[in-house]
Each structure stands twice: as structure tokens, then as C-alpha cells.
Amino acid sequence: SSETSNRLKACAKDKLSDQMVELFEECQQQDSDLIKKEMCRSQLQRDIQRIYAVARLYLTGSSMNGLGCRSSDADLCLVLKGNKRHDPIQVLSALQRLFRSLSYVERTQLIRAKVPILRFREKGSDLEFDLNVNNTVGIRNTFLLRSYAYADLRIRPMILVIKKWARYSQINDASKGTLSSYTLVLMVLHYLQTLNEPVVPSLQRDYPECFNPFMDIDMVPEGPKHIPPYLSRNQLSLGELLLGFLKYYTDFRWDKQVISVREAKALPKTNFREWRNKYICVEEPFERNNVARAVHEKAKFDAIKAQFAESCRILHERKDLNAILPVRAII
Ligand code: ATP
Ligand code: MG
């Protein structure tokens, strides 16, 4: 809103911060983008209920967590309840047949990843969807991230700029062995939680009842409605936080530490199966597995570290966002 915009501009004390606010305002998801996604979701849910009567479809990811761009895809989770264990590939194959008969869907493609997804587009728009089956942790963590996104005014612009920087720097693509957007978001939150004066606390620690991992899935979107805004004593500007973020991860001991947003600290890297032989360890806040497991090649890990170090050096020298992210190239 223009209210948020004015408050952000008022606390931007330097050129770098101004540039970050400007980029955020150009790129952030608009209400009209969300309305389009929501209309498509509800139509899809109606059509899917013709073959799975009790199915429910949830929008997740950056469309819902407050950290979306105009160009972000729409992530969907299909929830099939009941005591029958559904094989996701079978369900997605059935949906693929159904979707081929729907006039508003095109280019469906089944992707057999660890979490299998059906990818498709809405006909005539460039809106892309990724649909999974019963990966309900994605619903829980979407509403956790949403609560973080609105805990402090600086968090949304900070994360959006870092996502754009990582995308531009070619280190934001889990299918190519680099960082997923989700991993990046957790890395930013961890940095903000571990400053001398934290920008945010651990919301799971402070509001356990809002983020109970066993909460009924229908209740999850309602759970975090009761969280008051966090009043941080940290006064750093967006630009100072961005510089600090790059420095923090340039110096980070990847071989010794695990990033935990759940605990708001770096945990020692133990011999636990999920951390063993992994270059980057970022804990999923609800399931304690490693969300950065896609980074499994030494060369990609080195490229990620080099990108942090190089951008850190350049930005400290130039204090101009264009030096690490030519804004013209990405809007
Ligand atoms: P973008 O704007 O780039 O699409 P995004 O916030 O939607 O970013 P993705 O990495 O596409 O991020 O992930 C979409 C959602 O899927 C996340 O918000 C999260 O809910 C869920 N998710 C992704 N990866 C994991 C994972 N390893 N474990 C659990 N949930 C995950
Ligand atoms: Mg997404």
C-alpha cells in the first residue's frame, strides 16, 4: 500500500536503500496478480472435485507468503484426505488427463522430482502453476514465512531484492544445483534473526501455538492471525542490512554450521544423516530436513560462495545496487 511505501521511504537514509525500495515497489506482486491466481485456483478446485470429491486446493509459496514478484509462478498443494495413501504420480497422471480436457489449461507436464509436480500454464496468460499432492508442509511453511514477511517493514524489500540478485547471479535454481528461492528466504531470515539486535525473533519459539506442526491443515491459514508486530531495536537501513547479509554469508562456516530459522541460530553441524556430506545445510522449520540438498556439486557450491564474496566486495566499494544487479536488466 502507499502507506507502507511512505514509511519505507522515510526510513531509507541512503541511496542503496532508496534503490532497494524502488526495486521492491516495481517488482512486488500486485493485488490484481493474486486475484488472477485465486480465480484460477478456485476453478481448478471445482474441476478436480469432479474426480476427487473431497479434494482441496491451496495456493502456497510466494503467491501467498508476501514475498512474491509480479513474475512469480503460482504454487499449489492438492490436499486429499482420508485413510487411503495416495501415490502422487498416480494422482498427477489422472489430473494431467483431466487438465487436457480443460479449455483454460495448457502445456501440462509431469515432473518426477522428490516431490513430484504437475506444471502447467493458464491458457493465454503467462501464468505458470506447479501443483503437488499432499505436500502439506508447504502450506505450514508458507504461513510461517508470511508471518515473518510482515513482522518488520524491511523484510519484504530485503528478501525481494536478494531473490532478484540471486536469480540474476545464476545461483537461484535448485534444478541446476543451486539455491531454491525457499532456501534463500530462510537464509535471509536467519541473518536477520542473528544480528546483535535481531530484526525478528523465532516466531515458532515465541508463538508455538500458532505454528503447531500438528495443527489441522484447514486451520493453518488462520493460525498466525494473532501475532502482534515485532518491535525491533535494530535501526539499520535496508542498504546496511544488504551489505551485512552479503558479509555474513561470505564469512559463514559452511562446514561447521547448520542454518536454523526455527531456533534463530546456527546449530553445530552434527553427523546427522540430513547434514552428512552436504555443502549447505538449511533446516526446514517443520520437518528438520535439509532444504538446500540440491547443492550437491562442489563446483556449484564454489560458484555460490564466489558470488557472495564478489558481490560483497563490489557493493562495499560502490554502495550502488546497479553494481551487483543492473536494475534495468531485470524489471
Ligand atoms: P518464487 O517467487 O521464486 O517462486 P517461492 O517463494 O515460491 O519463490 P519456491 O522455492 O518456488 O519459492 O518454493 C515454493 C514453496 O514450496 C515454498 O514457499 C515452500 O512452501 C515450499 N517448499 C519449497 N522447497 C521446499 C522444501 N525443500 N521443503 C519444504 N517446503 C518447500
Ligand atoms: Mg514459487
Side-chain angles (χ1 to χ4, degrees):
S1 71
S2 59
E3 156 86 31
T4 310
S5 161
N6 291 338
R7 279 161 57 208
L8 266 171
K9 279 176 189 146
C11 65
K13 311 173 257 205
D14 46 69
K15 170 171 143 193
L16 182 54
S17 303
D18 282 332
Q19 292 174 316
M20 292 173 71
V21 173
E22 202 169 305
L23 182 61
F24 168 64
E25 302 205 315
E26 297 232 26
C27 296
Q28 70 166 318
Q29 175 175 273
Q30 305 291 305
D31 292 344
S32 59
D33 303 328
L34 181 58
I35 289 168
K36 275 191 209 126
K37 290 174 179 175
E38 173 50 34
M39 277 170 43
C40 208
R41 183 210 62 82
S42 66
Q43 185 60 53
L44 283 166
Q45 180 173 274
R46 277 195 294 277
D47 284 316
I48 292 170
Q49 284 171 346
R50 291 192 277 144
I51 52 174
Y52 296 105
V54 293
R56 298 227 26 201
L57 200 53
Y58 291 81
L59 261 177
T60 64
S62 65
S63 310
M64 287 305 280
N65 66 17
L67 304 168
C69 309
R70 300 216 63 178
S71 59
S72 293
D73 65 357
D75 301 291
L76 293 169
C77 176
L78 181 72
V79 177
L80 297 176
K81 283 196 181 157
N83 25 23
K84 197 158 125 232
R85 211 347 248 117
H86 293 276
D87 171 21
I89 296 282
Q90 262 176 27
V91 174
L92 294 178
S93 302
L95 290 185
Q96 187 167 32
R97 285 191 295 277
L98 169 71
F99 284 12
R100 285 184 173 143
S101 73
L102 300 177
S103 62
Y104 60 98
V105 175
E106 63 181 3
R107 290 161 65 183
T108 64
Q109 179 195 356
L110 211 166
I111 300 172
R112 293 162 193 271
K114 183 160 182 220
V115 176
I117 56 173
L118 191 61
R119 179 166 288 170
F120 55 94
R121 282 173 185 269
E122 183 191 33
K123 201 170 264 175
S125 75
D126 43 17
L127 187 50
E128 186 172 84
F129 288 87
D130 275 350
L131 184 156
N132 70 61
V133 179
N134 283 345
N135 190 38
T136 49
V137 67
I139 302 174
R140 297 185 197 281
N141 61 34
T142 290
F143 288 93
L144 177 67
L145 260 45
R146 185 186 172 83
S147 302
Y148 279 112
Y150 290 97
D152 184 282
L153 207 52
R154 292 165 289 187
I155 294 177
R156 288 185 307 135
M158 175 84 178
I159 289 176
L160 191 139
V161 168
I162 288 167
K163 272 166 70 169
K164 289 283 179 190
W165 162 79
R167 178 66 55 91
Y168 175 76
S169 307
Q170 300 186 313
I171 58 166
N172 173 210
D173 189 343
S175 72
K176 297 198 173 111
T178 58
L179 304 165
S180 68
S181 296
Y182 182 55
T183 302
L184 271 166
V185 172
L186 293 174
M187 286 170 62
V188 179
L189 293 175
H190 167 76
Y191 163 70
L192 296 172
Q193 287 175 327
T194 52
L195 288 159
N196 281 335
E197 274 311 343
V199 172
V200 275
S202 164
L203 294 180
Q204 284 172 291
R205 184 186 56 211
D206 291 0
Y207 302 95
E209 64 296 348
C210 295
F211 303 106
N212 175 354
F214 304 107
M215 190 190 296
D216 192 82
I217 212 71
D218 304 326
M219 300 299 291
V220 168
E222 307 300 321
K225 289 228 163 102
H226 318 287
I227 296 175
Y230 183 68
L231 300 174
S232 171
R233 278 193 294 266
N234 185 309
Q235 296 290 321
L236 293 179
S237 71
L238 278 172
E240 290 164 332
L241 290 173
L242 178 59
L243 285 161
F245 168 81
L246 293 172
K247 180 87 169 70
Y248 181 81
Y249 285 109
T250 296
D251 300 337
F252 195 78
R253 292 302 307 262
W254 299 104
D255 55 337
K256 294 214 155 56
Q257 299 190 299
V258 174
I259 292 167
S260 173
V261 167
R262 177 178 58 91
E263 294 212 42
K265 63 184 182 215
L267 304 173
K269 191 163 163 181
T270 60
N271 198 24
F272 177 49
R273 172 174 42 82
E274 287 290 324
W275 318 135
R276 209 180 297 152
N277 304 323
K278 300 295 188 306
Y279 294 113
I280 297 185
C281 295
V282 180
E283 183 195 65
E284 154 57 41
F286 287 99
E287 296 195 328
R288 323 268 164 99
N289 50 36
N290 185 10
V291 305
R293 61 182 165 260
V295 185
H296 58 86
E297 284 172 55
K298 176 81 164 57
K300 297 288 167 69
F301 175 50
D302 288 341
I304 293 167
K305 285 192 295 182
Q307 197 53 245
F308 271 94
E310 177 71 354
S311 292
C312 182
R313 188 182 62 74
I314 296 173
L315 199 63
H316 271 93
E317 204 172 283
R318 299 260 311 269
K319 308 268 191 320
D320 175 352
L321 190 59
N322 286 291
I324 58 163
L325 178 62
V327 172
R328 218 126 284 123
I330 56 151
I331 296 187

Coordinates of all heavy atoms in Angstrom, one line a residue, residues 61-62 72-75, ligand 2:
G61 N 3.6 -21.0 -1.4 CA 4.7 -20.3 -2.0 C 4.6 -18.8 -2.0 O 3.8 -18.2 -1.2
S62 N 5.4 -18.2 -2.9 CA 5.5 -16.7 -2.8 C 4.2 -16.0 -3.2 O 4.0 -14.8 -2.9 CB 6.6 -16.2 -3.7 OG 6.4 -16.5 -5.1
S72 N 6.4 -14.1 -10.4 CA 6.5 -15.4 -9.7 C 5.4 -16.4 -10.2 O 4.3 -16.0 -10.5 CB 6.2 -15.2 -8.2 OG 7.3 -14.5 -7.6
D73 N 5.7 -17.7 -10.2 CA 4.8 -18.7 -10.5 C 3.8 -18.8 -9.4 O 3.9 -18.2 -8.3 CB 5.5 -20.0 -10.8 CG 6.1 -20.6 -9.6 OD1 6.1 -20.0 -8.5 OD2 6.7 -21.7 -9.7
A74 N 2.7 -19.7 -9.6 CA 1.8 -20.0 -8.5 C 2.0 -21.4 -8.1 O 1.9 -22.3 -8.9 CB 0.4 -19.8 -9.0
D75 N 2.3 -21.6 -6.8 CA 2.5 -23.0 -6.3 C 1.2 -23.4 -5.7 O 0.5 -22.6 -5.0 CB 3.6 -23.0 -5.2 CG 4.9 -22.5 -5.8 OD1 5.5 -23.2 -6.6 OD2 5.4 -21.4 -5.5
Ligands
MG2 MG 7.0 -20.2 -6.4

